[in-house]
Amino acid sequence: MVNFAVIGTNFVTDSFIDAGRQCDDFHVQAVYSRTMERAREYADRYEIEDCYDSLDDLAKAENIDAVYVASPNSFHAKQSIQMMNAGKHVLCEKTIASNLKELKQMLEVAKENHVILLEAMRSAFDPGFQAIQDNLKKLGKIRRATFQYCQYSRRYDNYKNGIVENAFKPELSNGALMDIGVYCVHPLVKLFGMPKEISAHCLKLDNGAEAAGTIVAMYEDMQAELMYAKITDAILPSQIQGEEASMIIEEIPDTKKIRIRYRDRHWEEIEISKKENNMYYEIKEFIRLIQEKGSAREHNQYSLWELEVMDEARKQMGIVFPADC
């Protein structure tokens, strides 16, 4: 049994607990919030035994094996490092760090303390993504990938009414790229590796928060376009084009179906059987790594490439977080 604590009491943590309770050897032992009142309220809702409003006390807790970090991005590195220095494994919500420098520091601390650090990139562990990988060879030589994830944020309505929530606060290392675009960047580097060069452009709101963007990535013999937004909804699916066929991907973060159209114009449809809450698969892999004393090195490499691309994109777009300074 792996005893978890959760840092963060938002809807993402709700999904995490729901998915985790479908996994073998998963138990939520504790919850941390900035106020004890909020911690107790959340604990009562999910029948969680221990409550904390002190990260120092949580780090010292001997009955906690692992911590799920779901705080704003700007806190990920500091909180994860504190927990890992206390000997706890960390599953950290995407985007795992504000920048590449922070992630490298986090991985060094994980190595020093012999603990697992894993980015909670749900799409990367999803059977839908595995189906994309398994069927990629059918496309022949890959020439183009177009990944898009545009999701109108309900928080944007509040923003337009003068209420600026965390999702639109650059000081918290937030914005469309960190919240939404990462779901395009991560599969790109996992499927095709680091691009040779990128070109990035974005739209900003009047407070400087990035609301939508496009990244063009160039490889030796292919190119990719990544389109993401928090102020519009996308209608078209993602796709990968090869010389022999093209693959249509519905919902890149949570793929339930892929279709392949061959050059002779016949179609192949591939349905993916999986859990409704696909956070299940990242939790399952995290628990496996802990119990088998495995290495998260391969998974972490994709997170390193992801942040290398995103750091360069932000540099070109003029997006600077306090954490960068």
Side-chain angles (χ1 to χ4, degrees), residues 158-171:
N158 289 337
Y159 180 90
K160 290 187 288 185
N161 290 322
I163 303 169
V164 182
E165 297 182 80
N166 289 352
F168 292 104
K169 290 184 177 179
E171 62 267 29

Side-chain angles (χ1 to χ4, degrees), residues 7 32 55 69 71 75-84:
I7 294 177
Y32 163 84
L55 288 171
V69 177
S71 52
F75 298 110
H76 285 181
K78 183 178 181 180
Q79 292 175 348
S80 296
I81 287 171
Q82 181 176 6
M83 295 302 135
M84 290 188 293

Side-chain angles (χ1 to χ4, degrees), residues 207-224:
N207 73 333
E210 170 235 9
T214 301
I215 298 172
V216 176
M218 298 302 300
Y219 290 81
E220 189 68 40
D221 51 10
M222 66 163 281
Q223 65 183 30

Side-chain angles (χ1 to χ4, degrees), residues 302-317:
Y302 302 131
S303 296
L304 287 164
W305 286 341
E306 161 202 306
L307 275 167
E308 188 173 349
V309 169
M310 292 167 73
D311 279 4
E312 175 60 25
R314 288 196 298 110
K315 179 180 177 182
Q316 292 183 23
M317 294 186 291

